[in-house]
Amino acid sequence: MVVVRRDARSRLAVLGAVAVLALAPALTSCSDDGGSKSGNTASSTPPPAKTALPPAGDQPTDPAAARAEVTKNWTAFFDPKTPLAQKVKLLEDGERMRPVLAAFAGDKNAAMTSAKVTDVEFTSAAGANVTYDLLVGGNPALPGSRGTSILQNDTWKVSVKTLCGLVELSGVTVQGC
């Protein structure tokens, strides 16, 4: 039992390290754009896709094509070789989140982090749960991770909720999350 507990702690330590190392630069370079994030979300208006998805049970018109796009876009978003401008297009509200993305785009630790999508389950015509392995140097650092994808402007994107969830693992708050 002790070994299992240590393995779980080791996995959490790796996860925390990945989140901190890959996203720490974002924490220092994000600035407040005049509003306060202290629990008040009224200063920024979330897009309808974040808060009002179609009823559960619906699927995209072509689920196979949508699944392929989700997988392709997630893989590209988490690929360190993908240019920032493309990552902005693959993230829900990407323009708003550009400072967060820019902050860690050139980080050497982020350059070793990628993701492999293992499952996509549609929750609606415009939403999906995504299961993925977060990889560091090609090795699973956080296998079986769960995130969400949102159909926004006719493109399946990594949700801000997913990116912010990874940021939150580091134990800090980032403007925009």
Side-chain angles (χ1 to χ4, degrees):
M1 286 188 174
V2 174
V3 173
V4 172
R5 203 173 272 165
R6 284 187 182 161
D7 287 343
R9 285 184 185 160
S10 296
R11 188 175 303 169
L12 287 174
V14 168
L15 169 60
V18 167
V20 170
L21 294 175
L23 301 173
L27 308 176
T28 58
S29 65
C30 290
S31 63
D32 194 328
D33 60 357
S36 173
K37 183 66 179 159
S38 61
N40 183 2
T41 57
S43 63
S44 65
T45 305
K50 286 174 69 174
T51 57
L53 294 176
D58 291 351
Q59 288 202 14
T61 305
D62 185 348
R67 186 172 286 106
E69 183 181 346
V70 168
T71 300
K72 176 180 150 240
N73 291 351
W74 269 62
T75 301
F77 178 80
F78 285 101
D79 184 341
K81 295 177 185 137
T82 300
L84 176 64
Q86 184 62 24
K87 287 185 183 213
V88 166
K89 293 177 184 177
L90 298 175
L91 178 64
E92 176 188 20
D93 296 336
E95 282 301 327
R96 180 177 64 86
M97 298 299 291
R98 184 182 285 270
V100 174
L101 293 174
F104 67 88
D107 182 70
K108 68 178 182 167
N109 296 303
M112 299 185 320
T113 305
S114 61
K116 178 183 175 187
V117 173
T118 58
D119 190 36
V120 177
E121 179 183 329
F122 294 102
T123 57
S124 70
N129 289 328
V130 179
T131 304
Y132 64 102
D133 296 337
L134 190 64
L135 310 171
V136 176
N139 298 311
L142 186 58
S145 299
R146 303 263 315 174
T148 55
S149 188
I150 301 293
L151 183 63
Q152 186 179 56
N153 301 324
D154 296 322
T155 301
W156 282 99
K157 300 180 179 189
V158 174
S159 69
V160 168
K161 177 181 169 182
T162 298
L163 179 63
C164 290
L166 289 170
V167 171
E168 287 174 14
L169 288 174
S170 67
V172 294
T173 303
V174 174
Q175 178 64 28
C177 283

